[in-house]
Amino acid sequence: MADVTAEYQAVARIPTPISAFIANQCADDGKIPTGDHSSPRSFLVRATWSQRDLVRMEKSTTLKSYLVKVNRAGVVEKMQLGVGTDNSSEKVVAYSKDGSLKAVLTKFKPKKSDEEKEVIEIHSSVGKVATNDLTATKRHGKFYFDGELGSFHLAPSEDRESTHVLYVAEKYHPKSDSFFSVIANQFPDDPELRKKSIGTEFEYRDDWGEQLQKKNQPVMCILDWNDNHVSILQNIPEGISPGQPIWTPDGTGVVFVGYDHAPERLGLVYCPIRKSRLYHLAIGQSKMALPLTFIDLAVRTPRFSPDGKSLIYLETEVGGPHFRALRLMKIDCSAGSFAAPSVVVPVPESPVKATDFPGLYSQTFPTRCWSADNKRVVMSTAWRSTHQIIAINVKTKAVISLTTGDLIKTLPKWEVLDVSDDLIIASASSPSVCPRVYCARLPEAGAEASIVWTLLDQGGGTDVTVDKEVGLIDWGVEVIKHKKSGLDFEAIWVRPSLKQKHPVILWPHGGPHSVIAAGFDIFVHTLVRLDFAVIFVNYRGSVGFGESNLRSLLGKIGENDVEDCFRALDVLLGKWNLTEGETDILVQGGSHGGFLAAHLIGQFPGIFRACCLRNPVINLASMFGTTDIPDWTYVEAGFDYHYDNPPITPPYLELLKHSPIAHAEKVTTPTLILLGEKDRRVPPGQGMEFYRALKLLNVPTKVIRYPECDHPIAEVDAESDSFVHMVKWFQQFGRK
């Protein structure tokens, strides 16, 4: 058996494209065209790639630049400009409309200081033109980097003279001090002491849950980088948290999402179902922010068309499954006024064929997503076990895939990185092909089928060793029909092509309403190099298969999903002519995937030789009172959760019946449990509850706790450590 750490180190360095920006474009005459495809055009494209650095134990990023030329026929010519440059210090980046200015937020600790500073720098073609110390202004708290509330945009300007940056930060809270501090006791009546919040140093403030810890009250801020002045936007309705703000096209206002605080703040991350509205705020006026959408809905991700006449966003009802198909909505805009919202893409009826559009299963758009003709929106969405790029015509409401046929068969996972002047930059991969960057010109409306994708950067595929290994990997997608319900689901399998006998790892996804796309994964790639086969199961209830399929799981968790996982294992073992008696069957999963793995070793004792659980859901009854999403336990167990009158005491017995802990006494499988101590979604007590049960049963078990990790266990040191521990655990209890 190959060395685990050596194999992981060889694969972990493979880069992944995470963002791109089409910096500028011009015709051969040097003028910037506006959607005119008749003239050849040149584009400067900047793409950021992320890699794991196992020496520094952090993720580093590299900026690469390319010159892209599109001729009259839409054929793309490209050239990489020099070598990539490290831009790991850039936490967030925003460009001006024409790409002539770049705003960068960085963090650093000055010499002889323990206080970390947050700084916004402005760069132009002449170099750095401004450095603004946000910490020194003391106008607000920490900057928001997240995708649920955060934002970072340079103001739109045609004359390149705008000096304003829009962003989100925590509201300024006066410094807390003890009741027994020297100052408080010497000057008890001093009004200045009130600014220090005496006696509040240990007071708990409600926040927005998992990965948004200590984000209690966001404020929208505008920095004038020319004079280092920060303004906090006022006239926001009470009882909401503003987030995801964007400039109006004329730069005179912002449109933002307002999340309701009442009756309680529940976790936002992975949950696009929280009560919220779109608002418009005119800057510099005394008017209260104007709501643009209806109450009792959940909205997110506003985007204006290039001409400023259309505003799109995503919408769904409040509550229910935490992720499901969303509606694409549009608001017509004119001279600062906003019309009533209208539906562009509804939630479709359940697809009949795999090629039928299943619905919008994406929580966001790219920052720029519109075509130059202001008629179409380009975005990525889950489509069964693939991620496809689609073009949505907001006029005709037609939805057209831009990644069909043999393209999606060979590269099933696509993500849009940027769209500008009908040039699309996207990433693509498969289980055997490292992430690459492609570009294409979006054809005229109605001719989208003629799109031609051109490889811009092969990424890790330029590595001869990695490229050679592609031929040593087999993969496929197995479609499995559930006869009784008539619904189907899919299993993605990846295995060594030159070995007939190999250990098999069953790997169900979390959620449960999420999906695994058949793309490149460094952990799977490493496992195949170590002679394991991996089976991902997109069981009934996964997104991308239609709403009937998704909702069939409600009230059936621990039953239907477990049945589908075991059925997928059985089907693929038969396909490979393997039996449980002659190969090691292993199982691993995180979150709801850990819930399923724990169920499988309890419901099918003796089948699995070893198990690994990452932040697993073990007991819905005990989880209800400690998670940031108590509504999840209700909905998935088949109960209604009343958001305006939340329950205090849940139906403990019914929740327990759905839980893996109910089958713990039958478990004989050696189990490794990996826990993030800062996990707010599935608190570590869940895994410890299972650990204690297995210890009392004398089942070999081990717990590893990561003090700085939340739900994903995504920090490079912990992520790498947990992977190596998992493989060694499987090797320890496998056949020698």
Side-chain angles (χ1 to χ4, degrees), residues 304-352:
F304 279 101
S305 58
D307 63 5
K309 295 180 179 180
S310 297
L311 173 66
I312 58 168
Y313 62 95
L314 296 169
E315 176 189 276
T316 188
E317 285 72 32
V318 175
H322 277 194
F323 192 31
R324 54 176 179 261
L326 306 178
R327 293 184 291 272
L328 176 62
M329 306 294 293
K330 179 170 75 77
I331 296 175
D332 292 327
C333 316
S334 176
S337 63
F338 297 85
S342 61
V343 179
V344 177
V345 179
V347 176
E349 296 294 327
S350 291
V352 177

Side-chain angles (χ1 to χ4, degrees), residues 75-76 100 129 150 154 212 232 235 258 294 296 312 415 427 435 445 494 506 522 595 620 633 696 718 736:
V75 176
V76 174
S100 62
V129 297
L154 276 161
L212 300 175
I232 307 299
N235 301 318
F294 303 113
D296 293 331
I312 58 168
E415 300 289 345
S427 65
V494 190
L506 184 64
I522 68 163
F595 170 92
L620 295 175
T633 64
L696 293 174
K736 302 298 187 285

